[in-house]
């Protein structure tokens, strides 16, 4: 049997694997075939070195290269073939991009220029950015949300990646109810846009350019949301990430109560707030600026020190 057949046999023996895991192994086999030129199971250590050199020259990251090497070794080991993979590539992964909420707000404001999806493009993008930032869901879960999943101000969803671990997310959505109300309910999914993820990212990149901000991906939106919640309460961010419920403390804490109490403290971009709250926020900012202008130099210095400590 060649590597592709070994891959199918291995996946059939482990049907509990998530769909993404099945795809990952198949992608690794395809990548190996492109680099080495064959799928023979008689793999030598020199083949792994050749694979690394070929993938590096094509621009693939060391992390992705070593992940493929690991997948191929797993398939060979499952078939009873032991082989040395040689010295792995070592290179630190780049720091993740965490867009500033102000940058996300700028993209939110220019969403009127959106031309995709074809129906209600501007409304769809406002909902996508607001719901994505608030719920911190992965892209595939964000697009799976259905209207029946939202009941009494709470979103209940089982994330695809942690489905087999039995993780169920409950997220309060009262703060973004105004965005949800603008989305059409003629379809079963809240953010229905078809299956063109390439088009989604292309349109997102175009809007970032129009807003004059650095391009950020849907997953960067998740990072920004988790950072936003973490500033308000680190434990709430851990719950939304999905790791908070795996801890033994889940037997003593109420995730629902933690999120409910933290939600009012999370600072969303003003443009995502309802009109009345937006006006209230702007009025508070104007009052603070007026107080700052009328303050003495000593009071201004004290205010600046306090803002740095809080910021």
């Amino acid at each position: 049997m060649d590597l592709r057949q070994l891959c199918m046999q291995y996946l059939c023996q482990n049907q509990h694997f998530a769909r993404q895991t099945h795809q990952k192994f198949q992608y690794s086999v395809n990548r190996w075939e492109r680099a080495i030129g064959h799928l023979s199971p008689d793999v030598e250590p020199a083949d792994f070195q050749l694979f690394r050199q070929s993938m590096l020259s094509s621009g693939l990251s060391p992390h992705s290269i070593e992940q493929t090497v690991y997948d191929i070794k797993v398939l060979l080991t499952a078939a009873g073939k032991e082989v040395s993979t040689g010295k792995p590539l070592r290179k630190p992964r780049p720091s993740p991009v965490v867009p500033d909420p102000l940058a996300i707000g700028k993209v939110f404001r220019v969403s009127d220029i959106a031309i995709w999806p074809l129906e209600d493009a501007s409304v769809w993008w406002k909902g996508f950015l607001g719901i994505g930032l608030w719920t911190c869901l992965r892209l595939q879960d964000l697009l799976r949300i259905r209207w029946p999943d939202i009941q009494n101000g709470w979103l209940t969803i089982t994330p695809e990646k942690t489905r087999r671990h039995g993780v169920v997310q409950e997220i309060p959505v009262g703060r973004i109810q105004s965005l949800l109300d603008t989305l059409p309910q003629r379809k079963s999914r809240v953010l229905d846009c078809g299956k063109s993820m390439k088009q989604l990212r292309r349109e997102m990149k175009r809007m970032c350019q129009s807003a004059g901000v650095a391009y950020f991906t849907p997953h960067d939106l998740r990072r920004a949301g988790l950072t936003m919640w973490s500033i308000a309460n680190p434990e709430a961010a851990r719950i939304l990430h999905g790791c908070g419920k795996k801890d033994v403390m889940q037997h003593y804490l109420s995730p629902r109560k933690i999120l409910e109490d933290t939600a009012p403290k999370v600072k969303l971009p003003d443009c995502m707030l309802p009109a009345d709250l937006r006006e209230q926020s702007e009025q508070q900012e104007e009052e603070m600026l007026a107080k700052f202008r009328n303050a003495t130099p000593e009071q201004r210095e004290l205010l600046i020190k306090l803002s740095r400590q809080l910021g």
Side-chain angles (χ1 to χ4, degrees):
M1 290 194 295
D2 61 18
L3 280 175
R4 194 177 305 281
Q5 292 169 328
L6 290 178
C7 177
M8 297 307 298
Q9 182 183 37
Y10 178 71
L11 295 176
C12 288
Q13 293 171 352
N14 297 275
Q15 294 185 3
H16 63 280
F17 284 169
R19 183 185 60 187
Q20 291 85 351
T21 305
H22 282 249
Q23 292 175 346
K24 182 172 70 73
F25 274 100
Q26 291 168 8
Y27 290 158
S28 294
V29 171
N30 292 340
R31 191 176 289 158
W32 179 268
E33 183 180 22
R34 288 197 303 270
I36 303 301
H38 63 81
L39 290 174
S40 171
D42 299 324
V43 179
E44 300 293 335
D47 292 329
F48 286 105
Q49 293 305 111
L50 177 61
F51 173 78
R52 289 186 174 101
Q53 293 172 4
S54 175
M55 291 293 100
L56 277 176
S57 62
S58 66
L60 196 66
S61 70
H63 174 78
S64 298
I65 293 172
E66 291 305 321
Q67 184 62 59
T68 302
V69 168
Y70 175 79
D71 290 344
I72 297 300
K73 184 178 180 181
V74 167
L75 296 177
L76 293 172
T77 303
K81 299 177 181 295
E82 294 296 332
V83 62
S84 172
T85 60
K87 186 178 180 180
L89 299 171
R90 294 297 179 192
K91 186 177 180 181
R93 298 182 67 179
S95 300
V97 176
V98 182
D100 188 274
L102 292 176
I104 298 171
K106 289 181 180 179
V107 178
F108 185 91
R109 291 188 183 94
V110 303
S111 60
D112 292 337
I113 70 166
I115 57 176
W116 181 94
L118 297 179
E119 297 182 20
D120 307 309
S122 176
V123 173
W124 189 91
W125 275 105
K126 282 183 169 67
F128 177 81
L129 292 170
I131 298 171
L133 182 64
W134 180 258
T135 62
C136 311
L137 291 172
R138 297 176 182 87
L139 178 60
Q140 60 176 341
D141 297 320
L142 196 59
L143 300 180
R144 282 197 308 112
I145 300 175
R146 297 180 180 273
W147 288 110
D149 297 335
I150 302 173
Q151 299 289 339
N152 302 320
W154 286 84
L155 165 65
T156 304
I157 188 169
T158 302
E160 188 69 27
K161 188 173 182 178
T162 51
R163 178 184 293 273
R164 64 192 179 99
H165 297 299
V167 175
V168 178
Q169 292 279 34
E170 290 183 298
I171 307 169
V173 292
R175 289 282 305 279
I176 56 169
Q177 188 61 50
S178 59
L179 288 175
L180 291 169
D181 291 341
T182 62
L183 292 166
Q185 298 191 23
R186 58 179 177 268
K187 298 181 179 179
S188 60
R189 295 180 189 268
V190 176
L191 294 168
D192 195 353
C193 66
K195 298 182 179 180
S196 180
M197 296 301 99
K198 178 183 282 189
Q199 187 64 36
L200 186 150
R201 289 181 170 84
R202 185 181 298 152
E203 185 72 356
M204 197 165 181
K205 188 172 185 178
R206 190 177 72 88
M207 291 200 302
C208 286
Q209 291 173 345
S210 298
V213 302
Y215 169 61
F216 56 87
T217 67
H219 201 69
D220 295 334
L221 194 66
R222 169 175 159 84
R223 293 187 177 109
L226 288 170
T227 302
M228 191 176 66
W229 277 86
S230 183
I231 291 171
N233 183 351
E235 187 63 34
R238 292 181 70 243
I239 293 169
L240 289 175
H241 179 270
C243 61
K245 292 190 176 183
K246 296 179 184 178
D247 194 80
V248 69
M249 292 300 289
Q250 68 176 319
H251 299 292
Y252 301 96
L253 301 179
S254 169
R256 191 182 176 103
K257 181 63 175 173
I258 291 172
L259 294 178
E260 188 176 22
D261 290 347
T262 306
K265 305 172 188 175
V266 178
K267 185 168 176 55
L268 273 170
D270 289 344
C271 57
M272 295 182 183
L273 297 174
D276 54 342
L277 293 180
R278 198 181 314 153
E279 292 174 1
Q280 182 181 351
S281 177
E282 291 173 355
Q283 185 179 355
Q284 290 176 349
E285 288 182 3
E286 290 176 1
E287 291 176 357
M288 288 297 294
L289 284 172
K291 290 179 180 179
F292 185 79
R293 293 191 192 99
N294 298 329
T296 63
E298 293 78 10
Q299 290 174 331
R300 288 185 182 184
E301 186 176 351
L302 178 61
L303 287 171
I304 291 172
K305 287 182 179 179
L306 285 172
S307 65
R308 285 174 179 170
Q309 291 175 358
L310 295 174

